[in-house]
């Protein structure tokens, strides 16, 4: 009523106000009221013409939009990731608490600033902010999702590695609109990957200095062959791994027998041999005698899935033993058929042998 009086008295040009009215059914309705006052020649108000419009749907939509914005803001702020939105010029429009705390911007009003502006505020984060600006431009030029890793220093002297995703959006004319940036701290994962790689390299070094190492699956396919295995067989690794062990690296006379026994072991019909000897055929067709030590790798159900075999090439040793035995036999025959006396004495004068 006061507002209407102000319009009638010429203090305001137009009457327009939002208020609530109680519906006859008992609920409240939001009303938008506006009116014009008409005056006579003497300047006296003679008529008021106006409308009441039910704006309850609009008020409810605005309330829902505010609630959704609040929920989204709460969700973004609770995320343990970088989340920010920049405009076409690279100016920050939105940034969550994680980003603010990461770059220590709690005391700075950074909305509307660029990375180059933030770099001036903090020399400590100058380099990562420069990198961020460069990768922003890469995302814009790429025109689609960009992904990369960026390193951000910490005040304690450590560094964090972030998996960064940048998604540019464009208007209907193809002009730059917004750039969404999301970053997840993957430092722990990278450290684990590095430790795993170091452990793998160490294991490979152990394998390379060990004897023959082979891993064969249930189908008889070689899944691993170390450096020594390649040296003995005379093949590069790629010509061994993926090949059937029994069909390609055993003498023809043994293929069927050894394959049958191996399949029975894999199927559980026969107990595995922990130690055994058998020859293998090298690339040049030579047979080498290998002394094997086998371990079975089983799944969670106790089924044998792989055979891990470590072997020692005993070909030269066996040949030497045979040659030595033949030499000793030949020496014995010579001595036994010698008519003269033959004796063997050590350095202390003790008789070690006297011919018959």
């Amino acid at each position: 009523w006061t507002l209407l009086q102000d319009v009638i008295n010429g203090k305001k040009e137009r009457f327009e106000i939002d208020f609530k009215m109680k519906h006859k059914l008992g609920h409240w309705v939001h009303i938008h009221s506006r009116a014009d006052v008409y005056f006579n020649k003497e300047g006296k108000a003679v008529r008021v013409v106006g409308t009441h419009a039910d704006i309850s749907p609009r008020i409810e939509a605005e309330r829902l939009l505010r609630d959704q914005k609040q929920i989204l803001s709460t969700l973004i702020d609770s995320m343990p990731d970088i989340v920010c939105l920049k405009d076409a010029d690279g100016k920050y429009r939105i940034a969550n608490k994680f980003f603010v705390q990461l770059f220590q911007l709690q005391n700075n009003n950074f909305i509307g600033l660029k990375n180059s502006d933030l770099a001036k505020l903090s020399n400590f984060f100058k380099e990562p902010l420069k990198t961020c600006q460069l990768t922003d431009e890469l995302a814009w030029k790429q025109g689609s999702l960009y992904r990369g890793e960026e390193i951000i220093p910490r005040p304690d002297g450590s560094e964090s590695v972030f998996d960064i995703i940048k998604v540019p959006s464009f208007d209907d004319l193809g002009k730059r609109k917004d750039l969404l940036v999301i970053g997840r701290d993957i430092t722990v994962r990278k450290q684990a990957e590095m430790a795993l790689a170091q452990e793998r390299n160490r294991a490979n070094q152990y394998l390379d200095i060990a004897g023959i190492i082979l891993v064969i699956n249930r189908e008889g396919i070689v899944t691993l062959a170390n450096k020594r295995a390649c040296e003995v067989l005379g093949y590069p690794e790629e010509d061994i791994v993926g090949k059937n062990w029994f069909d390609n690296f055993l003498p023809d006379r043994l293929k069927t027998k050894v394959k049958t026994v191996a399949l029975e072991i894999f199927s559980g019909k026969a107990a595995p041999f922990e130690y055994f000897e058998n020859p293998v055929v090298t690339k040049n067709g030579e047979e080498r005698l290998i002394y094997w030590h086998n371990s079975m790798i089983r799944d969670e159900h106790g089924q044998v899935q792989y055979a891990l075999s470590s072997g020692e090439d005993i070909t030269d040793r066996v040949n030497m033993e045979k040659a030595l035995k033949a030499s000793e036999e030949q020496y014995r025959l010579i001595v036994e058929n010698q008519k003269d006396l033959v004796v063997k004495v050590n350095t202390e004068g003790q008789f070690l042998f006297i011919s018959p």
Side-chain angles (χ1 to χ4, degrees):
W1 178 250
T2 301
L3 179 60
L4 182 59
Q5 287 297 318
D6 288 342
V7 175
I8 292 174
N9 296 327
K11 294 180 180 180
K12 291 186 179 295
E13 294 181 357
R14 186 178 181 82
F15 175 82
E16 190 166 2
I17 190 171
D18 291 342
F19 61 92
K20 289 195 298 184
M21 294 179 63
K22 194 169 185 178
H23 196 277
K24 67 178 182 179
L25 298 178
H27 63 274
W28 290 92
V29 178
H30 291 271
I31 301 296
H32 178 71
S33 179
R34 58 185 175 185
D36 291 315
V37 179
Y38 292 87
F39 300 88
N40 60 17
K41 294 179 180 180
E42 289 77 24
K44 184 178 179 180
V46 294
R47 187 168 62 249
V48 177
V49 178
T51 61
H52 283 346
D54 183 355
I55 59 170
S56 298
R58 190 195 78 190
I59 296 297
E60 179 63 14
E62 290 174 350
R63 184 190 66 79
L64 290 174
L65 182 60
R66 286 195 304 271
D67 290 346
Q68 289 175 353
K69 285 183 177 179
Q70 182 61 42
I71 292 171
L72 181 60
S73 177
T74 302
L75 176 63
I76 290 174
D77 277 339
S78 65
M79 292 176 65
D81 302 310
I82 294 172
V83 180
C84 56
L85 185 69
K86 305 175 186 180
D87 65 15
D89 297 321
K91 296 177 180 178
Y92 284 90
R93 294 179 55 196
I94 300 172
N96 68 342
K97 287 183 179 179
F98 184 89
F99 174 86
V100 173
Q101 293 171 355
L102 179 66
F103 287 97
Q104 300 181 346
L105 296 169
Q106 295 91 332
N107 299 321
N108 295 286
N109 183 14
F110 60 90
I111 299 300
L113 299 182
K114 301 180 181 180
N115 283 323
S116 55
D117 299 322
L118 297 183
K120 295 175 183 177
L121 297 176
S122 174
N123 191 57
F124 184 77
F125 294 107
K126 185 176 182 179
E127 291 305 318
L129 287 168
K130 281 185 176 180
T131 300
C132 185
Q133 188 157 330
L134 290 173
T135 55
D136 284 356
E137 191 59 30
L138 287 176
W140 283 118
K141 289 181 178 179
Q142 186 169 295
S144 59
L145 185 147
Y146 166 88
R147 189 168 193 168
E149 293 180 2
E150 295 182 15
I151 298 175
I152 299 176
R154 297 284 195 170
D156 62 2
S158 63
E159 291 182 332
S160 295
V161 182
F162 280 80
D163 179 19
I164 301 293
I165 295 175
K166 301 189 176 187
V167 184
S169 62
F170 303 85
D171 63 18
D172 295 338
L173 299 176
K175 293 182 178 180
R176 295 180 179 186
K177 186 178 178 182
D178 299 305
L179 182 67
L180 174 64
V181 180
I182 301 173
R184 171 156 294 182
D185 188 344
I186 58 170
T187 307
V188 174
R189 192 189 82 191
K190 296 295 289 185
Q191 290 172 342
E193 289 175 353
M194 186 177 297
L196 181 61
Q198 291 174 345
E199 190 63 30
R200 186 184 297 114
N201 290 337
R202 190 179 299 114
N204 287 335
Q205 290 175 351
Y206 292 156
L207 285 175
D208 285 343
I209 64 175
I212 301 169
I213 300 291
L214 291 172
V215 177
I216 302 171
N217 67 15
R218 293 175 63 89
E219 288 72 40
I221 304 301
V222 180
T223 61
L224 183 146
N226 74 337
K227 183 178 179 180
R228 180 58 180 154
C230 297
E231 290 174 349
V232 171
L233 293 172
Y235 292 97
E237 182 182 2
E238 58 269 22
D239 288 345
I240 301 175
V241 174
K243 299 292 180 63
N244 187 287
W245 173 254
F246 310 106
D247 295 337
N248 293 278
F249 305 105
L250 295 182
D252 290 338
R253 66 183 185 279
L254 296 177
K255 288 181 179 179
T256 302
K257 179 181 178 181
V258 176
K259 180 185 285 190
T260 301
V261 173
L263 292 177
E264 288 181 350
I265 292 173
F266 276 114
S267 64
K269 295 179 180 179
F273 298 100
E274 186 174 1
Y275 299 97
F276 73 96
E277 297 177 7
N278 77 266
V280 298
V281 178
T282 66
K283 184 177 182 179
N284 61 15
E286 178 188 6
E287 288 191 12
R288 305 292 296 181
L289 185 62
I290 310 299
Y291 178 71
W292 297 104
H293 175 213
N294 299 308
S295 297
M296 300 297 119
I297 301 175
R298 303 175 185 272
D299 61 17
E300 63 273 17
H301 305 295
Q303 299 295 317
V304 177
Q305 297 298 320
Y306 298 93
L308 171 61
S309 302
S310 61
E312 178 187 358
D313 185 351
I314 60 173
T315 308
D316 295 336
R317 189 186 76 192
V318 170
N319 289 340
M320 187 178 296
E321 290 174 352
K322 288 180 179 179
L324 180 60
K325 186 175 181 180
S327 177
E328 289 177 345
E329 179 64 19
Q330 185 178 21
Y331 175 73
R332 185 185 65 78
L333 291 174
I334 292 173
V335 171
E336 287 180 351
N337 290 283
Q338 177 64 252
K339 295 180 180 181
D340 297 325
L341 177 65
V342 178
V343 296
K344 184 177 181 181
V345 183
N346 64 16
T347 57
E348 296 178 355
Q350 297 175 328
F351 288 97
L352 301 178
F353 175 80
I354 302 176
S355 62

